[in-house]
Amino acid sequence: MMRRLVLLLFAAVILLPPPLRGEAAPGTVLVVHSYGRDLSWTEELHQGIVEAFRQSGERPDLRVEYLDMKHRLAPDYLDRLGALLRYKFRGVAIDGVILSDNGAFDFYRRHLSSLFSDVPVVAVGYNGSIPPLPPNVHVIPEELHLERTLDLALRQNPGARRIRAFHDGTETGRAVEEEIRPLLVAREGRGISWEIRGCASLAEAESALGETTEEDILLLLAFSRDERDNRGVTPREVVGTLSLVAPAPLYSPWTHFLGFGTLGGYMLSPRNVGYTGARYLEGLWRGQAPAVLSRAVDLQAGYFADYAVMRRFGLDEGDFPPGTVIVGRPPSLYERHREILLVAAVVIALLLVVIALLMGALSRKNRLLRHRAELQSLQKELLDAQEETIDLIGDAIEGRSHETANHVRRVAEVAALLGEKRGLDASDVELLRRAAPLHDLGKIAVPDAVLSKPGRLSDEEFEEAKKHAAIGAALLGRSRRRALQVAALIAGQHHERWDGSGYPRRLAGEGIHIMGRLVAVADVFDALLSRRCYKEPWTAEAVADYFRTQRGRQFDPDLVDLVLNDMEAFLAVRERFPDP
């Protein structure tokens, strides 16, 4: 019984259709970052974009531009850079644009929007109110949820009577100030005063922190620029400087401040911001983006805490919400002795596997002796599954070439009907019906750009497309199954012509096997009557005229006569298997 279940599961896996996809994987994505790679926020955000595409399997080519706005703020800098990028990307095929932070978003609207007006654009890390946007531009706002960090700080510091927040006075810093101000006002009723300082330099922030006390709640907001020295500052430099003079824990809404002296909070992860932006762009490609937007926003942040800072201020994991990510925690017993424990686990697992194999072998032997009839029944099920697999493969190949699944069914039925009229015996007609759906198997090796081209193929593209006949014959010819041997013959000969001008072997007349001649007629008959990306469907009269002109040239004249003498019977096949 167990063997039967295993085989049934195996057959079920083989028969499952491939996962549905939207359009083919995009070729190129332009990523525009507001800042430079020296800013850890930007670097981690970019890694999140790369990770999202790697996990999803899209793997587009990434063209990356860094505006470096923490270091370059001259009035004409962005205008010059905009002109350069418009020149650089004019005529370049771009399938999507990702913008990180407000600077890149504003830069796109001013300098690049006309160049990429028909390309899906996703902006991440955006602070402030969102202006009216064209339909191709989508903004995932930077949801800091500052109230969660404030509430966490108030729970951990019940005696606090003042909240003091600091930022660098940049556009981002002012935007965060506007976001947190109403939250602080709402907490005035609890007897808590507050102050927000926009500091023009790191030294000014250091001096301001020196005036705080242990009873204050300290919030480090956006701080990435020192205006006095006209330079960007790193998270390590900012936190390393301020945490030395801060008498109380420093809370922050961004994870890139972790590891240098901040305690934590409900923090936005730049890696998650980039990750959700890339996934949202993939949603736009598949028409699913609106359904995933709210989840994309939620996934950007979570609770984080620094283990060393927790110990410094006498806090433990119980002081944080469940699920808080603790960074810098000392390795556990397992982590310290992982290699030894893994070796022991592997040895035990191998012993269990040997025992299980021995028991399984004994059990299989007993079942084989008792259930011969069940195995015979299962063999029939597997043979039926083989026939269904042929149908599924045919459907999949036609789907890849953007033809309907019913095309292969109609080709098989038209070929079988023509075979009956030609005088084939019943067993050969059924064999033809089973093998015909695989006539275009070789298309798996033809590039999508050729299969999907809406116009006439170039000579080079046509030569590439013609390879599918020989490839299909070679692939199917490896099997010893009679049905697949016939399918190999059909795949290799259904593009040969009666006059010898076909491909791939330039066979002529009765040198082309009857199975190949039958499918050649059936394939062209249905294709002409069907809509394709490069043509509209022909009328039945036009198809009949075409076959008359190709009688004795492209097709076996006897087969053409059979079709023309009973067109109604062959047209009835389309009514039985219409396109969706």
Side-chain angles (χ1 to χ4, degrees), residues 3 357-372 375:
R3 180 180 177 84
L357 289 174
L358 291 174
M359 294 179 65
L362 179 61
S363 177
R364 285 194 299 271
K365 179 179 179 181
N366 292 335
R367 285 197 301 273
L368 285 172
L369 294 175
R370 292 194 305 266
H371 301 296
R372 290 183 180 273
L375 289 177

Side-chain angles (χ1 to χ4, degrees), residues 497 545-556 560:
R497 296 171 58 99
D545 290 340
Y546 178 84
F547 272 89
R548 290 188 189 97
T549 64
Q550 296 301 316
R551 183 182 183 278
R553 297 172 63 187
Q554 183 175 355
F555 305 115
D556 181 338
V560 171

